[in-house]
Amino acid sequence: MRTSRPQITILVANLPAERDRRVIRECLSLEASGFDVAVIAPRGDKTLRVLPGSRNTRLRPYPIFVYGHGVLSYAVEFGWSFLCIAVRLMAEVFSGRAHAVQVCNPPDVYWPLALLLRALGRPWVFDHHDLCPEVYASRVGAPNKWAFQLLRAFEWLTLRTATEVVATNESFKDNAVRRGVAPERVTVVRNGPTRGEIAEPCGATDPAGSDHRVVYLGVFGPQDNVEGAVLAAEELTRLRGRTGWRMVLAGDGESMPALTRLAADRGLTDVVEFTGWLDGAAVDELLRTATIAIQPDLPTRMNQLSTMAKTVEYLGRGVPVVAVDLLETRRSVGEAGVYVPTGAPEEFAAAIDELLDDPARRAQMRATGLARFQESLAWEHQADAYVAVWQRLLAKRLPHGGPTSALPAGVGAGVVAPPAGDDALAHRHATAESEARATAR
């Protein structure tokens, strides 16, 4: 049923809406500020009609039959997604909804729809999740020149056809400005959990009475270098033996089979644990018992400019971080991290070994990380900037004296568990595969 509230349609191509934590937080923040929201995204849980945890955010899912692995299959997948999204978006427009649209990448192929919607007088916001040309380069090693240039052209068109751009960090904002977007049309809205998603107490002291846990959380894709964490565990056995610590790798993705084989081949199954994909509550429980977290991403251009969502999750629980010295990682983590120069396994192992032997330093890093999260990185700080974009673009549709809070109580409830029952395993692997393409940024 239509209402008099301004209505925003969000387009997502690489994840079911109920699995995209950034989009969940955006939807709940918009609802709390007087907007109605619909999300057009790939189908996940077939029983869902409304986004879990929301008041009435409508889901308009579409089926996915092909998941891309090469150039041709990616073209088929994204071509199908474009068609499904276009049909559903036009239905929203012709029904009197979709007063404004937000598109989330990857991929950067929806600029023709931006031209159409802007011609109809509807604001079009680009929520810039990933640097698609750099993602492509990081995944293939030696990128095809013409494919890379095509992706750069699509990125330029996506940025330039948007009414405004929402960037996940300052580097993404700089990238948009270099592509010709006026600085005042770019708003930085970082990724990060809400305070409500983190149970109390949130890591005030080291976990006691058990082995130290060195944790990796996220997607297992070629660009994520999770094998670097496995090899660091092998180096760590040489430095401090095989007792008193464990490497816990939480997640899933296309590299999972190779990683489990690597751990078995190196004789590491007693010190390396694979948990599989975890829901929000299990992630919180794991990180609150972690001693150290590892961010093994290598120093590529993409990683230099990206903020890893997993790292903000670490900081939210006060877990000291060991990472390669990357531009945006240092901007987020600051003194809550230990940095290594190249990401070689022996560098990670040496840094972890030293930190495990220094509880006073870990305590200081924990306090610093918690403070950074509470004071600047929590979603509560990002929601106001995000909602302000829409309040500005749809000011004429907003009732005077409407809601001003950008975040409802209990917003963390929007981070939902995967489905239970017979469909859980297939859903988890499909989700992990599509999240791997999104690089967990």
Coordinates of all heavy atoms in Angstrom, one line a residue, residues 321-367:
V321 N 44.8 -5.6 15.8 CA 44.8 -6.0 14.4 C 46.3 -6.0 14.0 O 47.1 -5.1 14.2 CB 44.0 -5.0 13.5 CG1 44.1 -5.4 12.1 CG2 42.6 -4.9 14.0
V322 N 46.6 -7.1 13.2 CA 47.9 -7.2 12.5 C 47.6 -7.2 11.0 O 46.8 -8.0 10.5 CB 48.6 -8.5 12.9 CG1 49.9 -8.6 12.1 CG2 48.9 -8.5 14.4
A323 N 48.1 -6.2 10.3 CA 47.8 -6.0 8.9 C 49.0 -5.4 8.2 O 49.9 -4.9 8.8 CB 46.6 -5.0 8.8
V324 N 48.9 -5.5 6.8 CA 49.8 -4.8 6.0 C 49.6 -3.3 6.1 O 48.5 -2.9 6.4 CB 49.7 -5.3 4.5 CG1 50.6 -4.5 3.6 CG2 49.9 -6.8 4.4
D325 N 50.7 -2.6 6.0 CA 50.5 -1.1 6.1 C 49.9 -0.5 4.9 O 50.6 -0.1 3.9 CB 51.9 -0.5 6.4 CG 51.8 0.9 6.9 OD1 50.7 1.4 7.1 OD2 52.9 1.5 7.1
L326 N 48.6 -0.4 4.9 CA 47.8 0.1 3.8 C 47.2 1.4 4.2 O 46.9 1.7 5.4 CB 46.6 -0.9 3.4 CG 47.1 -2.3 3.1 CD1 45.8 -3.2 3.0 CD2 47.9 -2.3 1.9
L327 N 47.0 2.3 3.2 CA 46.6 3.7 3.5 C 45.3 3.7 4.3 O 45.2 4.3 5.3 CB 46.4 4.4 2.1 CG 45.8 5.8 2.2 CD1 46.7 6.8 3.0 CD2 45.5 6.4 0.8
E328 N 44.2 3.1 3.7 CA 42.9 3.3 4.4 C 42.9 2.4 5.7 O 42.1 2.7 6.6 CB 41.8 2.9 3.4 CG 41.5 4.0 2.4 CD 41.0 5.3 3.1 OE1 40.5 5.3 4.2 OE2 41.2 6.4 2.4
T329 N 43.6 1.3 5.7 CA 43.7 0.5 6.9 C 44.2 1.3 8.1 O 43.7 1.4 9.2 CB 44.5 -0.8 6.7 OG1 43.8 -1.6 5.8 CG2 44.6 -1.6 8.0
R330 N 45.4 2.0 7.8 CA 46.0 2.8 8.9 C 45.0 4.0 9.3 O 45.0 4.4 10.4 CB 47.3 3.4 8.4 CG 48.1 4.1 9.5 CD 49.5 4.5 9.0 NE 50.5 3.5 9.1 CZ 51.2 3.1 10.1 NH1 51.0 3.7 11.3 NH2 52.1 2.2 10.1
R331 N 44.3 4.6 8.3 CA 43.4 5.6 8.6 C 42.3 5.1 9.6 O 41.8 5.9 10.5 CB 42.7 6.2 7.4 CG 43.6 7.1 6.6 CD 42.9 7.6 5.3 NE 43.7 8.6 4.6 CZ 43.4 9.1 3.4 NH1 42.3 8.6 2.8 NH2 44.1 10.0 2.8
S332 N 41.8 3.9 9.4 CA 40.8 3.3 10.2 C 41.3 2.8 11.6 O 40.7 3.1 12.6 CB 40.1 2.2 9.5 OG 39.4 2.6 8.4
V333 N 42.4 2.1 11.5 CA 42.9 1.4 12.7 C 43.8 2.2 13.6 O 43.7 2.1 14.8 CB 43.6 0.1 12.3 CG1 44.2 -0.7 13.5 CG2 42.7 -0.8 11.5
G334 N 44.7 3.0 13.0 CA 45.6 3.8 13.8 C 46.4 3.0 14.7 O 47.0 2.0 14.3
E335 N 46.6 3.4 16.0 CA 47.4 2.8 16.9 C 46.8 1.5 17.5 O 47.5 0.8 18.3 CB 47.7 3.7 18.1 CG 48.5 5.0 17.7 CD 49.8 4.6 17.0 OE1 50.6 3.7 17.5 OE2 50.1 5.2 15.9
A336 N 45.7 1.1 17.0 CA 45.1 -0.2 17.4 C 45.6 -1.3 16.5 O 45.2 -2.5 16.7 CB 43.6 -0.2 17.3
G337 N 46.6 -1.0 15.7 CA 47.1 -2.1 14.8 C 48.6 -2.2 14.8 O 49.3 -1.2 15.2
V338 N 49.1 -3.3 14.4 CA 50.6 -3.5 14.1 C 50.7 -3.8 12.7 O 49.9 -4.6 12.1 CB 51.1 -4.8 14.9 CG1 52.5 -5.1 14.5 CG2 51.1 -4.5 16.4
Y339 N 51.6 -3.1 12.0 CA 51.7 -3.1 10.6 C 53.0 -3.8 10.1 O 54.0 -3.6 10.6 CB 51.6 -1.7 10.0 CG 50.4 -1.0 10.5 CD1 50.4 -0.1 11.6 CD2 49.1 -1.2 9.9 CE1 49.3 0.5 12.0 CE2 48.0 -0.5 10.3 CZ 48.1 0.3 11.4 OH 47.0 1.0 11.9
V340 N 52.8 -4.6 9.0 CA 53.9 -5.3 8.4 C 54.1 -4.7 7.0 O 53.1 -4.3 6.4 CB 53.7 -6.8 8.4 CG1 53.6 -7.4 9.8 CG2 52.6 -7.2 7.5
P341 N 55.3 -4.8 6.4 CA 55.6 -4.1 5.2 C 55.0 -4.7 3.9 O 54.4 -4.0 3.1 CB 57.1 -4.0 5.1 CG 57.6 -5.0 6.0 CD 56.6 -5.2 7.1
T342 N 55.1 -6.0 3.7 CA 54.7 -6.7 2.5 C 53.6 -7.7 2.6 O 53.1 -8.1 1.6 CB 56.0 -7.3 1.8 OG1 56.3 -8.5 2.6 CG2 57.2 -6.4 1.7
G343 N 53.4 -8.2 3.8 CA 52.4 -9.2 3.9 C 52.9 -10.6 3.8 O 52.1 -11.6 3.6
A344 N 54.2 -10.8 3.8 CA 54.8 -12.2 3.8 C 54.4 -12.9 5.0 O 54.3 -12.4 6.1 CB 56.3 -12.1 3.6
P345 N 54.2 -14.3 4.9 CA 53.8 -15.0 6.1 C 54.7 -14.9 7.3 O 54.3 -14.8 8.4 CB 53.8 -16.5 5.5 CG 53.5 -16.3 4.1 CD 54.2 -15.1 3.7
E346 N 56.0 -14.8 7.0 CA 57.0 -14.7 8.1 C 56.8 -13.4 8.8 O 57.1 -13.3 10.1 CB 58.4 -14.9 7.7 CG 58.9 -14.0 6.6 CD 58.6 -14.6 5.2 OE1 57.8 -15.5 5.0 OE2 59.3 -14.2 4.2
E347 N 56.4 -12.3 8.1 CA 56.2 -11.0 8.7 C 55.0 -11.1 9.7 O 55.0 -10.6 10.8 CB 56.0 -9.9 7.7 CG 57.2 -9.6 6.8 CD 56.9 -8.7 5.7 OE1 55.7 -8.3 5.5 OE2 57.8 -8.3 5.0
F348 N 53.9 -11.7 9.2 CA 52.7 -11.8 10.0 C 53.0 -12.6 11.2 O 52.6 -12.3 12.4 CB 51.6 -12.4 9.2 CG 50.8 -11.5 8.4 CD1 50.7 -11.6 7.0 CD2 50.1 -10.4 9.0 CE1 50.0 -10.7 6.2 CE2 49.4 -9.5 8.2 CZ 49.3 -9.7 6.8
A349 N 53.7 -13.8 11.1 CA 54.0 -14.6 12.2 C 54.8 -13.9 13.2 O 54.6 -14.1 14.4 CB 54.7 -15.9 11.7
A350 N 55.9 -13.2 12.8 CA 56.7 -12.5 13.8 C 55.9 -11.4 14.6 O 56.1 -11.3 15.8 CB 57.9 -11.9 13.1
A351 N 55.1 -10.7 13.9 CA 54.3 -9.7 14.5 C 53.3 -10.3 15.5 O 53.1 -9.8 16.6 CB 53.6 -8.8 13.5
I352 N 52.6 -11.4 15.1 CA 51.7 -12.0 16.0 C 52.4 -12.6 17.2 O 51.9 -12.5 18.3 CB 50.9 -13.1 15.2 CG1 50.0 -12.5 14.2 CG2 50.1 -14.0 16.2 CD1 49.4 -13.5 13.2
D353 N 53.5 -13.3 17.0 CA 54.3 -13.9 18.1 C 54.7 -12.8 19.1 O 54.5 -13.0 20.3 CB 55.6 -14.5 17.5 CG 56.4 -15.2 18.6 OD1 55.9 -16.0 19.4 OD2 57.6 -14.9 18.6
E354 N 55.2 -11.7 18.6 CA 55.6 -10.6 19.5 C 54.4 -10.1 20.3 O 54.5 -9.8 21.5 CB 56.3 -9.5 18.8 CG 56.8 -8.3 19.6 CD 57.5 -7.3 18.8 OE1 57.8 -7.6 17.6 OE2 57.7 -6.2 19.3
L355 N 53.3 -9.9 19.6 CA 52.1 -9.4 20.3 C 51.5 -10.3 21.3 O 51.0 -9.9 22.4 CB 51.0 -9.0 19.2 CG 50.0 -8.0 19.6 CD1 50.5 -6.7 20.2 CD2 49.1 -7.6 18.4
L356 N 51.5 -11.6 21.0 CA 51.0 -12.6 22.0 C 51.8 -12.6 23.3 O 51.3 -12.9 24.3 CB 51.1 -14.0 21.4 CG 50.0 -14.3 20.3 CD1 50.3 -15.7 19.7 CD2 48.6 -14.2 20.8
D357 N 53.1 -12.2 23.2 CA 53.9 -12.1 24.4 C 53.9 -10.8 25.1 O 54.6 -10.6 26.0 CB 55.4 -12.4 24.0 CG 55.6 -13.9 23.7 OD1 54.8 -14.7 24.2 OD2 56.5 -14.2 22.9
D358 N 53.0 -9.9 24.7 CA 53.0 -8.5 25.2 C 51.5 -8.2 25.6 O 50.9 -7.4 24.9 CB 53.5 -7.5 24.2 CG 53.8 -6.2 24.8 OD1 53.4 -5.9 25.9 OD2 54.6 -5.4 24.1
P359 N 51.0 -8.7 26.7 CA 49.6 -8.4 27.1 C 49.4 -6.9 27.4 O 48.3 -6.4 27.1 CB 49.4 -9.3 28.3 CG 50.8 -9.6 28.8 CD 51.7 -9.6 27.6
A360 N 50.4 -6.2 27.9 CA 50.2 -4.8 28.2 C 49.9 -4.0 26.9 O 49.1 -3.1 26.8 CB 51.4 -4.2 28.9
R361 N 50.7 -4.3 25.8 CA 50.5 -3.6 24.5 C 49.1 -4.0 24.0 O 48.4 -3.1 23.4 CB 51.6 -4.0 23.6 CG 51.5 -3.2 22.3 CD 52.6 -3.6 21.3 NE 52.6 -2.7 20.1 CZ 53.3 -2.9 19.0 NH1 54.1 -4.0 18.9 NH2 53.2 -2.1 18.0
R362 N 48.7 -5.3 24.1 CA 47.4 -5.7 23.6 C 46.3 -4.9 24.3 O 45.3 -4.5 23.7 CB 47.2 -7.2 23.8 CG 48.1 -8.0 22.9 CD 47.5 -9.4 22.7 NE 47.2 -10.1 24.0 CZ 48.0 -10.8 24.7 NH1 49.3 -11.0 24.3 NH2 47.6 -11.4 25.8
A363 N 46.5 -4.7 25.6 CA 45.4 -4.0 26.4 C 45.3 -2.5 25.9 O 44.2 -2.0 25.8 CB 45.8 -4.0 27.8
Q364 N 46.5 -1.9 25.6 CA 46.4 -0.5 25.1 C 45.8 -0.5 23.7 O 45.0 0.4 23.4 CB 47.9 0.0 25.1 CG 47.9 1.5 24.6 CD 47.1 2.4 25.4 OE1 47.2 2.4 26.6 NE2 46.3 3.2 24.8
M365 N 46.2 -1.4 22.8 CA 45.6 -1.5 21.5 C 44.1 -1.7 21.6 O 43.3 -1.1 20.8 CB 46.3 -2.5 20.7 CG 47.7 -2.2 20.4 SD 48.6 -3.7 19.6 CE 47.8 -3.7 18.0
R366 N 43.7 -2.6 22.5 CA 42.2 -2.8 22.7 C 41.5 -1.6 23.1 O 40.4 -1.3 22.5 CB 42.0 -3.9 23.7 CG 40.6 -4.2 24.0 CD 40.4 -5.5 24.9 NE 40.9 -6.7 24.2 CZ 42.0 -7.3 24.4 NH1 42.8 -6.9 25.4 NH2 42.3 -8.4 23.7
A367 N 42.0 -0.8 24.0 CA 41.4 0.4 24.4 C 41.3 1.4 23.3 O 40.3 2.1 23.1 CB 42.1 1.0 25.6

